[in-house]
Amino acid sequence: MELRQLEYFVAVAEERNFTRAAERVRISQSGVSAQIRQLERELGAELFDRSGRTATLTVAGKAALEHARAALAAARALEQAVGEVSDLIRGRLAVGMVVGCTVTPLFDALAAFHRAHPGVEIALLEDGSDRLVEAVRDGALDLALVGTATAAPGGLPALTVTSDRLVAMVPPTHPLADRPRVTLADLSGRPVVCMPPGTGLRTVFDRACAALDIHPVIALEASAADAVADLAARGLGVGVLSSSMAAAYRDRLTARLIDDVDAPALLALVWKSTHVPAVRAFLSHARRAFAAADAGDAG
Protein backbone atom coordinates (compact mmCIF):
# COMPACT_ATOMS: atom_id res chain seq x y z
CA MET A 1 0.00 0.00 0.00
CA GLU A 2 1.06 3.59 -0.59
CA LEU A 3 0.77 6.71 1.54
CA ARG A 4 -1.30 8.41 -1.15
CA GLN A 5 -3.87 5.61 -0.89
CA LEU A 6 -4.11 6.22 2.85
CA GLU A 7 -4.46 9.96 2.22
CA TYR A 8 -7.33 9.36 -0.20
CA PHE A 9 -8.96 6.91 2.21
CA VAL A 10 -8.85 9.43 5.07
CA ALA A 11 -10.17 12.19 2.80
CA VAL A 12 -13.20 10.13 1.76
CA ALA A 13 -13.80 9.03 5.36
CA GLU A 14 -13.82 12.64 6.58
CA GLU A 15 -15.74 14.12 3.65
CA ARG A 16 -18.11 11.13 3.37
CA ASN A 17 -18.20 11.80 -0.33
CA PHE A 18 -15.86 10.75 -3.17
CA THR A 19 -16.38 13.95 -5.16
CA ARG A 20 -15.53 16.27 -2.25
CA ALA A 21 -12.58 14.08 -1.30
CA ALA A 22 -11.26 14.29 -4.87
CA GLU A 23 -11.50 18.09 -4.77
CA ARG A 24 -9.66 18.10 -1.45
CA VAL A 25 -6.73 15.98 -2.67
CA ARG A 26 -6.83 17.63 -6.10
CA ILE A 27 -7.17 14.62 -8.35
CA SER A 28 -10.08 13.20 -10.31
CA GLN A 29 -12.86 11.28 -8.60
CA SER A 30 -12.07 8.24 -10.73
CA GLY A 31 -8.47 8.42 -9.53
CA VAL A 32 -9.57 8.44 -5.89
CA SER A 33 -11.98 5.55 -6.47
CA ALA A 34 -9.36 3.49 -8.27
CA GLN A 35 -6.75 3.95 -5.57
CA ILE A 36 -9.19 3.08 -2.78
CA ARG A 37 -10.32 -0.02 -4.69
CA GLN A 38 -6.66 -1.03 -4.96
CA LEU A 39 -6.23 -0.46 -1.21
CA GLU A 40 -9.31 -2.58 -0.49
CA ARG A 41 -7.93 -5.39 -2.65
CA GLU A 42 -4.62 -5.28 -0.78
CA LEU A 43 -6.39 -5.34 2.60
CA GLY A 44 -8.92 -7.94 1.54
CA ALA A 45 -11.91 -5.96 2.80
CA GLU A 46 -14.23 -3.18 1.66
CA LEU A 47 -13.61 0.05 3.55
CA PHE A 48 -16.75 1.92 2.46
CA ASP A 49 -20.42 1.16 2.05
CA ARG A 50 -21.21 2.80 -1.29
CA SER A 51 -24.92 1.91 -1.41
CA GLY A 52 -26.20 5.25 -0.09
CA ARG A 53 -25.71 8.86 -1.09
CA THR A 54 -22.81 9.20 1.31
CA ALA A 55 -19.74 7.01 1.60
CA THR A 56 -19.96 5.47 5.07
CA LEU A 57 -17.24 3.45 6.71
CA THR A 58 -17.68 -0.29 7.06
CA VAL A 59 -16.55 -2.04 10.24
CA ALA A 60 -13.22 -2.69 8.54
CA GLY A 61 -13.04 0.95 7.46
CA LYS A 62 -13.61 2.18 11.00
CA ALA A 63 -10.87 -0.12 12.26
CA ALA A 64 -8.48 1.16 9.58
CA LEU A 65 -9.14 4.90 9.93
CA GLU A 66 -7.18 5.59 13.12
CA HIS A 67 -4.20 3.61 11.85
CA ALA A 68 -4.28 5.40 8.50
CA ARG A 69 -4.27 8.77 10.23
CA ALA A 70 -1.40 7.64 12.46
CA ALA A 71 0.60 6.47 9.45
CA LEU A 72 0.10 9.79 7.65
CA ALA A 73 1.03 11.72 10.79
CA ALA A 74 4.17 9.61 11.21
CA ALA A 75 5.15 10.24 7.59
CA ARG A 76 4.67 14.00 8.02
CA ALA A 77 6.67 13.95 11.24
CA LEU A 78 9.49 12.05 9.51
CA GLU A 79 9.59 14.53 6.65
CA GLN A 80 9.50 17.52 8.95
CA ALA A 81 12.08 16.07 11.36
CA VAL A 82 14.54 15.64 8.51
CA GLY A 83 13.75 19.15 7.32
CA GLU A 84 14.29 20.51 10.82
CA VAL A 85 17.80 19.09 10.89
CA SER A 86 18.56 21.10 7.78
CA ASP A 87 16.79 24.11 9.36
CA LEU A 88 13.82 23.79 7.03
CA ILE A 89 10.30 22.78 8.07
CA ARG A 90 8.03 21.40 5.37
CA GLY A 91 4.71 19.63 5.17
CA ARG A 92 1.24 20.74 6.17
CA LEU A 93 -0.20 22.41 9.27
CA ALA A 94 -3.94 22.01 9.82
CA VAL A 95 -5.34 24.66 12.17
CA GLY A 96 -8.92 25.00 13.40
CA MET A 97 -10.64 28.05 14.80
CA VAL A 98 -14.00 28.52 16.44
CA VAL A 99 -16.78 29.88 14.22
CA GLY A 100 -16.89 33.68 14.15
CA CYS A 101 -13.32 34.03 15.40
CA THR A 102 -12.10 37.62 15.44
CA VAL A 103 -8.99 37.00 17.54
CA THR A 104 -6.37 38.79 15.48
CA PRO A 105 -3.32 37.38 17.36
CA LEU A 106 -4.17 33.99 15.83
CA PHE A 107 -3.97 35.53 12.36
CA ASP A 108 -0.75 37.32 13.34
CA ALA A 109 0.72 33.98 14.43
CA LEU A 110 -0.30 32.33 11.16
CA ALA A 111 1.28 35.15 9.15
CA ALA A 112 4.52 35.05 11.14
CA PHE A 113 4.69 31.27 10.84
CA HIS A 114 4.12 31.48 7.08
CA ARG A 115 6.89 34.02 6.66
CA ALA A 116 9.31 31.88 8.68
CA HIS A 117 8.32 28.56 7.07
CA PRO A 118 7.02 29.17 3.54
CA GLY A 119 7.47 25.47 2.73
CA VAL A 120 4.60 24.51 5.04
CA GLU A 121 1.10 24.44 3.57
CA ILE A 122 -1.39 25.96 6.03
CA ALA A 123 -4.98 24.71 6.12
CA LEU A 124 -7.56 26.62 8.19
CA LEU A 125 -10.90 25.15 9.24
CA GLU A 126 -13.74 26.96 11.01
CA ASP A 127 -16.15 24.90 13.15
CA GLY A 128 -17.80 24.59 16.56
CA SER A 129 -15.51 24.18 19.55
CA ASP A 130 -16.62 20.66 20.47
CA ARG A 131 -16.02 19.39 16.94
CA LEU A 132 -12.66 21.13 16.75
CA VAL A 133 -11.51 19.46 19.97
CA GLU A 134 -12.54 16.07 18.58
CA ALA A 135 -10.70 16.79 15.33
CA VAL A 136 -7.50 17.56 17.25
CA ARG A 137 -7.90 14.40 19.33
CA ASP A 138 -8.49 12.34 16.17
CA GLY A 139 -5.48 13.82 14.41
CA ALA A 140 -7.52 15.54 11.66
CA LEU A 141 -6.24 18.91 12.96
CA ASP A 142 -2.85 19.77 14.43
CA LEU A 143 -4.09 22.66 16.59
CA ALA A 144 -7.29 24.58 17.18
CA LEU A 145 -8.44 27.78 18.87
CA VAL A 146 -11.56 26.87 20.82
CA GLY A 147 -13.99 28.29 23.33
CA THR A 148 -14.09 26.15 26.45
CA ALA A 149 -15.32 25.97 30.02
CA THR A 150 -12.27 24.02 31.22
CA ALA A 151 -8.54 24.69 31.15
CA ALA A 152 -7.76 21.40 29.34
CA PRO A 153 -10.65 20.69 26.93
CA GLY A 154 -10.86 17.05 25.96
CA GLY A 155 -7.83 16.32 28.13
CA LEU A 156 -5.58 18.01 25.56
CA PRO A 157 -2.61 20.27 26.27
CA ALA A 158 -3.81 23.86 26.04
CA LEU A 159 -2.67 27.46 26.10
CA THR A 160 -5.33 29.71 27.66
CA VAL A 161 -5.61 32.87 25.59
CA THR A 162 -8.42 34.71 27.38
CA SER A 163 -10.41 34.13 30.56
CA ASP A 164 -13.54 36.27 30.84
CA ARG A 165 -16.68 36.54 32.94
CA LEU A 166 -20.05 36.46 31.21
CA VAL A 167 -22.02 39.66 30.67
CA ALA A 168 -25.60 40.50 29.70
CA MET A 169 -25.84 42.98 26.82
CA VAL A 170 -28.89 45.18 26.25
CA PRO A 171 -29.73 48.43 24.47
CA PRO A 172 -29.31 51.55 26.67
CA THR A 173 -33.10 51.91 26.95
CA HIS A 174 -33.60 48.36 28.27
CA PRO A 175 -34.72 48.05 31.95
CA LEU A 176 -31.61 45.99 32.81
CA ALA A 177 -29.34 48.79 31.60
CA ASP A 178 -30.25 50.88 34.67
CA ARG A 179 -29.30 48.16 37.14
CA PRO A 180 -25.81 48.20 38.66
CA ARG A 181 -25.72 44.40 38.70
CA VAL A 182 -27.52 41.59 36.90
CA THR A 183 -28.09 38.01 38.03
CA LEU A 184 -29.29 34.91 36.22
CA ALA A 185 -32.64 35.32 37.99
CA ASP A 186 -32.99 38.71 36.25
CA LEU A 187 -32.77 36.90 32.92
CA SER A 188 -35.43 34.37 33.84
CA GLY A 189 -38.56 34.97 31.77
CA ARG A 190 -36.75 37.27 29.36
CA PRO A 191 -35.69 36.08 25.89
CA VAL A 192 -31.97 35.39 25.72
CA VAL A 193 -29.68 35.52 22.69
CA CYS A 194 -26.72 33.20 23.18
CA MET A 195 -24.21 31.06 21.40
CA PRO A 196 -25.30 27.48 20.58
CA PRO A 197 -24.55 24.31 22.56
CA GLY A 198 -21.05 23.02 21.92
CA THR A 199 -19.44 26.42 22.50
CA GLY A 200 -17.44 27.16 25.63
CA LEU A 201 -19.48 30.25 26.46
CA ARG A 202 -22.76 28.36 26.24
CA THR A 203 -21.37 25.56 28.41
CA VAL A 204 -20.46 28.05 31.14
CA PHE A 205 -23.89 29.68 30.92
CA ASP A 206 -25.81 26.39 30.97
CA ARG A 207 -23.82 25.00 33.90
CA ALA A 208 -24.39 28.17 35.96
CA CYS A 209 -28.14 28.09 35.23
CA ALA A 210 -28.37 24.40 36.12
CA ALA A 211 -26.53 24.95 39.41
CA LEU A 212 -29.15 27.54 40.44
CA ASP A 213 -32.09 25.61 38.92
CA ILE A 214 -32.81 28.49 36.54
CA HIS A 215 -34.32 27.74 33.15
CA PRO A 216 -33.70 30.64 30.77
CA VAL A 217 -35.63 31.13 27.55
CA ILE A 218 -33.05 30.82 24.77
CA ALA A 219 -34.93 32.68 22.08
CA LEU A 220 -32.17 32.89 19.49
CA GLU A 221 -28.78 31.26 18.95
CA ALA A 222 -25.88 32.54 16.86
CA SER A 223 -22.32 31.27 16.53
CA ALA A 224 -20.72 34.66 15.91
CA ALA A 225 -20.40 37.40 18.53
CA ASP A 226 -21.38 40.02 15.94
CA ALA A 227 -24.67 38.23 15.32
CA VAL A 228 -25.46 37.93 19.03
CA ALA A 229 -24.77 41.65 19.48
CA ASP A 230 -26.82 42.66 16.42
CA LEU A 231 -29.81 40.65 17.60
CA ALA A 232 -29.57 42.08 21.11
CA ALA A 233 -29.25 45.62 19.74
CA ARG A 234 -32.52 45.12 17.87
CA GLY A 235 -34.31 44.21 21.10
CA LEU A 236 -34.80 40.54 20.25
CA GLY A 237 -33.34 39.36 23.54
CA VAL A 238 -30.68 39.85 26.20
CA GLY A 239 -27.35 39.04 24.60
CA VAL A 240 -24.93 36.86 26.56
CA LEU A 241 -21.24 37.09 25.65
CA SER A 242 -17.90 37.24 27.41
CA SER A 243 -16.66 40.59 28.71
CA SER A 244 -13.87 40.84 26.10
CA MET A 245 -16.33 40.14 23.27
CA ALA A 246 -18.81 42.70 24.60
CA ALA A 247 -16.20 45.47 24.64
CA ALA A 248 -16.49 45.81 20.85
CA TYR A 249 -20.16 46.81 21.09
CA ARG A 250 -20.04 49.53 23.75
CA ASP A 251 -21.22 52.12 21.23
CA ARG A 252 -24.70 50.57 21.03
CA LEU A 253 -25.09 48.10 23.90
CA THR A 254 -24.79 48.31 27.66
CA ALA A 255 -22.94 45.37 29.22
CA ARG A 256 -23.63 44.26 32.78
CA LEU A 257 -21.59 41.55 34.48
CA ILE A 258 -23.74 38.54 35.37
CA ASP A 259 -22.95 38.60 39.04
CA ASP A 260 -23.63 34.97 39.98
CA VAL A 261 -21.76 33.33 37.10
CA ASP A 262 -18.32 32.96 38.65
CA ALA A 263 -16.80 30.46 36.21
CA PRO A 264 -15.04 32.17 33.31
CA ALA A 265 -15.42 31.42 29.63
CA LEU A 266 -12.03 30.52 28.23
CA LEU A 267 -10.51 30.80 24.80
CA ALA A 268 -7.67 28.32 24.38
CA LEU A 269 -5.30 26.96 21.79
CA VAL A 270 -5.26 23.15 21.98
CA TRP A 271 -3.02 20.54 20.39
CA LYS A 272 -2.35 16.82 20.72
CA SER A 273 1.40 16.47 20.31
CA THR A 274 4.46 18.66 19.85
CA HIS A 275 6.46 15.87 18.21
CA VAL A 276 5.68 17.46 14.83
CA PRO A 277 8.20 20.30 14.23
CA ALA A 278 5.60 22.52 12.52
CA VAL A 279 3.35 22.34 15.60
CA ARG A 280 6.22 23.32 17.89
CA ALA A 281 7.18 26.19 15.61
CA PHE A 282 3.62 27.48 15.35
CA LEU A 283 3.15 27.34 19.12
CA SER A 284 6.21 29.56 19.52
CA HIS A 285 4.73 32.12 17.14
CA ALA A 286 1.34 31.87 18.84
CA ARG A 287 2.76 32.48 22.31
CA ARG A 288 4.61 35.55 21.07
CA ALA A 289 1.56 36.89 19.23
CA PHE A 290 -0.79 36.49 22.18
CA ALA A 291 1.80 37.87 24.62
CA ALA A 292 2.23 40.95 22.41
CA ALA A 293 -1.55 41.40 22.27
CA ASP A 294 -1.79 41.21 26.06
CA ALA A 295 1.02 43.75 26.42
CA GLY A 296 -0.77 46.07 23.99
CA ASP A 297 -4.03 45.78 25.92
CA ALA A 298 -2.23 46.52 29.18
CA GLY A 299 -0.61 49.57 27.64
Side-chain angles (χ1 to χ4, degrees):
M1 72 182 66
E2 302 177 8
L3 283 174
R4 63 173 178 167
Q5 293 173 333
L6 298 182
E7 180 186 1
Y8 301 164
F9 164 58
V10 170
V12 175
E14 292 177 351
E15 299 292 341
R16 302 184 68 188
N17 181 278
F18 279 83
T19 301
R20 289 196 299 270
E23 293 172 352
R24 169 170 152 180
V25 299
R26 298 172 185 169
I27 70 166
S28 67
Q29 180 180 336
S30 60
V32 170
S33 297
Q35 289 298 320
I36 289 181
R37 285 293 189 193
Q38 177 63 31
L39 179 61
E40 289 175 325
R41 283 194 291 271
E42 292 182 24
L43 294 174
E46 288 195 351
L47 301 174
F48 293 101
D49 178 355
R50 299 167 172 83
S51 61
R53 290 190 175 184
T54 59
T56 57
L57 288 168
T58 62
V59 174
K62 292 177 181 177
L65 182 58
E66 182 178 350
H67 296 288
R69 284 172 170 159
L72 291 172
R76 289 196 299 268
L78 173 62
E79 178 181 299
Q80 292 176 353
V82 172
E84 192 175 33
V85 171
S86 59
D87 200 28
L88 180 65
I89 298 177
R90 294 189 180 277
R92 183 173 185 268
L93 184 72
V95 181
M97 67 178 185
V98 65
V99 172
C101 176
T102 56
V103 182
T104 54
L106 174 67
F107 307 142
D108 293 338
L110 286 169
F113 176 85
H114 176 65
R115 288 192 297 270
H117 308 289
V120 177
E121 176 191 356
I122 299 174
L124 188 62
L125 170 72
E126 190 179 46
D127 207 339
S129 293
D130 281 1
R131 287 187 292 273
L132 290 174
V133 169
E134 286 303 311
V136 172
R137 290 177 62 183
D138 291 342
L141 291 174
D142 295 303
L143 312 98
L145 186 69
V146 302
T148 174
T150 60
L156 294 169
L159 170 66
T160 297
V161 174
T162 62
S163 176
D164 294 313
R165 297 277 300 277
L166 297 193
V167 298
M169 301 191 311
V170 294
T173 56
H174 193 281
L176 292 182
D178 294 330
R179 301 189 184 186
R181 57 192 291 272
V182 171
T183 66
L184 289 174
D186 294 326
L187 304 187
S188 182
R190 301 178 187 272
V192 171
V193 183
C194 195
M195 290 188 168
T199 59
L201 188 148
R202 179 63 178 271
T203 300
V204 171
F205 183 70
D206 286 348
R207 287 179 180 177
C209 289
L212 296 175
D213 196 28
I214 290 174
H215 306 281
V217 178
I218 307 297
L220 298 166
E221 295 177 340
S223 297
D226 282 350
V228 172
D230 284 346
L231 292 166
R234 286 165 171 77
L236 294 171
V238 178
V240 175
L241 288 177
S242 69
S243 56
S244 61
M245 290 176 176
Y249 312 109
R250 281 180 288 196
D251 60 328
R252 54 200 173 108
L253 288 167
T254 299
R256 291 288 180 261
L257 194 71
I258 303 178
D259 199 56
D260 47 356
V261 181
D262 297 322
L266 309 176
L267 192 65
L269 190 65
V270 298
W271 62 93
K272 186 175 182 180
S273 171
T274 55
H275 293 312
V276 178
V279 173
R280 291 201 303 272
F282 180 77
L283 282 172
S284 296
H285 287 286
R287 288 188 173 98
R288 287 196 291 271
F290 284 114
D294 287 343
D297 291 341

